[in-house]
Structure formats: structure tokens, C-alpha cells
Amino acid sequence: MENFVQPQPCTILNVKRESEHEWTFRVASDARPDHGQFMQLSIPKTGEAPISVSAQGDGWLEFTIRSVGRVTNCIFSKEKGDTLFLRGPYGNGWPVEEFRGRHLVVITGGTGLAPVRSLLHKCAEDVDFVKDVHLISGFKDEAGIVFGRELEEWKDQFHTVYTLDHGEKDGWRTGMVTAFVKEIPFESFEEDYAVIVVGPPPMMKFTGLELLNCGVDPEKIWMSFERKMSCAIGKCGHCRIDEVYVCLDGPVFPYTTARDLVD
């Protein structure tokens, strides 16, 4: 019987720098996560970290990682041909079938683009899956932009607003993503839409409030968390918030639940 908590050795196929602080690791794996699920990446004798799958293909997964601690610092020392240990996938992903045939609105902050990137790939490749995509992606500054090539490609496929909190960039706006929510034509969607919000907790909190100010039905909003997770199987209690276990009940939550999880 397969041990679903036993990490498996996987070869790093490629390493790509995305921004000043983020790198994408492509790892050989036959796992087939749902869009929005996460894996546990580990280094023996160092530890493990929950990381959302940012892309996937035949025989590989990608993880876009920011160096924020001992485990991710150790991962950053790895190169093509080295080994990472993976277990998973875990958690609940995006309710993809609920999005089929609807207008899809995606609002991301910083590396919050990573957990929804594979779903955006699906929408770009299967043009009939949703009616259209409205994408608002914000970053602190130009040095923090991730997936720059894809952002440019998506301009031709989606309705896009790209913004920097600070600084200027040709073709980009300046300001928080919340400032541009009102530009989404929700009234023309005739209630046939879904909204995804991913980013730092304050960004998700205030984006959710702005969506409500724009008359968006809270039942149509979805958010993703991963910052508080540890064991991925609901045993350690590290990600427990009241009666909710982020690793088991999430990381994707309906807004009606998520609004009680953000500070």
C-alpha cells in the first residue's frame, strides 16, 4: 500500500529566476494535482514546506518559491540535476467545474499569482472553458514581477490590468489592486461569474471588501491560503484557525469562510 506521507525523491529539471526574490523549480513528477492544490517539498535533515503547484505538464510540476526561511533557503541552493523530495498533492483546489462557461475574474497580489497560474494556463489553452477572463495582477515594484513573459502573452488572451504599488512601468498602472476592482463590468455578467482572489492576507481582506462594495455576491468569491500550513494532513494543528484546518479544508476556501480567516 502506498504511503501518502512518504516523501519521494524527484529530480530538478530546470531552475528559473522569476524576480528579485522568487525562483521557479521544475521537478520531475508523475503526480497530477488539481489546480490550486499544494505539495510538501522537503530537504532531509532540514525540513519541509508547503508550496502550491504553479504549473504542470507531462511528467513534471513547477513550484515558484520565495526564500523566506531555512527550508526555502536550502532549496534555493539546489541546481538542475539535484534532488528534491515531494509528497502530496494535498488540500482542496479551485472548484474548476463551477467556473466552466462563466466569466472568471482573477485578482492577485505578488506571488499570489502562482497558485492560480496553472488554472490560467488552462483558460488560455482551452478558450471555450470560460466565457472570458478578467485578470488584475499587482506587484510591490518592478523587481517583484513574476511570470513576466506569461503576463505579456495573457494581454492578448484576457482582459488585463497590471499594476505596481510603487514605481512606473510602460503599459502598467500604479496603485493597489483594490483601486481597479471597480473597472470590472460585473453588472454585464448577469450573475454568471466567479471571482478568485490570492495574495497576502491584508490584500485579500481589502479586495474582498471592495468586491462587496461593488455588489459582488460573496458566494461567488474564492480565496487561497497557504502561509499557516505545516504537516498537510491535519495532525500538527499548526494551521488550525478556530475549527478550520487550512491544510484539510483549504487551501482554497469560499469567501464566506475565508473572510473569517484573514486578519
Side-chain angles (χ1 to χ4, degrees), residues 38-41 48-50 87 90 226-240 246-247:
F38 69 96
M39 305 283 287
Q40 291 286 110
L41 276 60
E48 62 180 2
R87 64 180 175 94
Y90 296 111
E226 67 177 33
R227 293 174 179 266
K228 297 180 182 293
M229 295 185 293
S230 182
C231 75
I233 56 174
K235 298 299 183 182
C236 71
H238 190 267
C239 70
R240 182 179 177 182
V246 174
C247 66

Side-chain angles (χ1 to χ4, degrees), residues 9-56:
C10 300
T11 301
I12 297 173
L13 301 176
N14 189 46
V15 181
K16 177 186 177 184
R17 185 168 190 169
E18 297 287 354
S19 72
E20 184 177 15
H21 300 292
E22 287 86 14
W23 294 71
T24 292
F25 290 77
R26 177 172 290 192
V27 181
S29 174
D30 292 325
R32 301 300 296 173
D34 295 334
H35 300 290
Q37 285 190 300
F38 69 96
M39 305 283 287
Q40 291 286 110
L41 276 60
S42 62
I43 304 292
K45 300 182 180 181
T46 300
E48 62 180 2
I51 307 293
S52 292
V53 178
S54 62
Q56 58 182 287

Side-chain angles (χ1 to χ4, degrees), residues 7 12 40-49 70-78 83-86:
I12 297 173
Q40 291 286 110
L41 276 60
S42 62
I43 304 292
K45 300 182 180 181
T46 300
E48 62 180 2
R70 183 176 62 174
V71 177
T72 50
N73 287 343
C74 188
I75 292 174
F76 269 37
S77 71
K78 301 294 184 180
T83 299
L84 282 179
F85 286 78
L86 271 62

Side-chain angles (χ1 to χ4, degrees), residues 173-188:
R173 314 279 285 276
T174 301
M176 303 293 185
V177 294
T178 49
F180 306 100
V181 171
K182 60 181 179 292
E183 298 183 12
I184 301 171
F186 287 107
E187 67 282 352
S188 70

Side-chain angles (χ1 to χ4, degrees), residues 38-223:
F38 69 96
M39 305 283 287
Q40 291 286 110
L41 276 60
S42 62
I43 304 292
K45 300 182 180 181
T46 300
E48 62 180 2
I51 307 293
S52 292
V53 178
S54 62
Q56 58 182 287
D58 186 15
W60 57 265
L61 301 173
E62 283 190 350
F63 303 91
T64 301
I65 303 171
R66 184 181 180 90
S67 183
V68 293
R70 183 176 62 174
V71 177
T72 50
N73 287 343
C74 188
I75 292 174
F76 269 37
S77 71
K78 301 294 184 180
E79 300 177 348
K80 179 179 178 180
D82 289 342
T83 299
L84 282 179
F85 286 78
L86 271 62
R87 64 180 175 94
Y90 296 111
N92 293 308
W94 304 110
V96 174
E97 285 305 310
E98 291 191 27
F99 302 156
R100 183 183 295 274
R102 297 184 173 184
H103 301 276
L104 182 62
V105 176
V106 179
I107 306 173
T108 68
T111 52
L113 184 56
V116 77
R117 179 183 175 219
S118 68
L119 177 59
L120 290 170
H121 284 171
K122 176 178 177 61
C123 293
E125 294 164 5
D126 183 357
V127 295
D128 295 322
F129 181 70
V130 294
K131 289 182 177 178
D132 57 15
V133 174
H134 292 256
L135 173 63
I136 301 177
S137 284
F139 301 89
K140 182 178 180 180
D141 51 36
E142 188 169 358
I145 296 172
V146 295
F147 313 130
R149 178 184 59 79
E150 286 150 292
L151 289 170
E152 289 301 311
E153 292 174 354
W154 290 337
K155 286 181 179 180
D156 297 326
Q157 298 167 295
F158 306 149
H159 305 281
T160 60
V161 173
Y162 301 148
T163 180
L164 301 177
D165 296 350
H166 309 288
E168 297 181 352
K169 179 177 171 61
D170 288 345
W172 286 52
R173 314 279 285 276
T174 301
M176 303 293 185
V177 294
T178 49
F180 306 100
V181 171
K182 60 181 179 292
E183 298 183 12
I184 301 171
F186 287 107
E187 67 282 352
S188 70
F189 295 164
E190 298 181 349
E191 299 300 314
D192 193 21
Y193 64 87
V195 183
I196 289 173
V197 181
V198 196
M203 171 266 177
M204 293 197 291
K205 174 182 178 179
F206 289 105
T207 301
L209 293 174
E210 184 60 25
L211 287 164
L212 297 184
N213 288 338
C214 292
V216 173
D217 183 348
E219 299 284 346
K220 298 181 183 295
I221 305 171
W222 298 84
M223 294 181 169

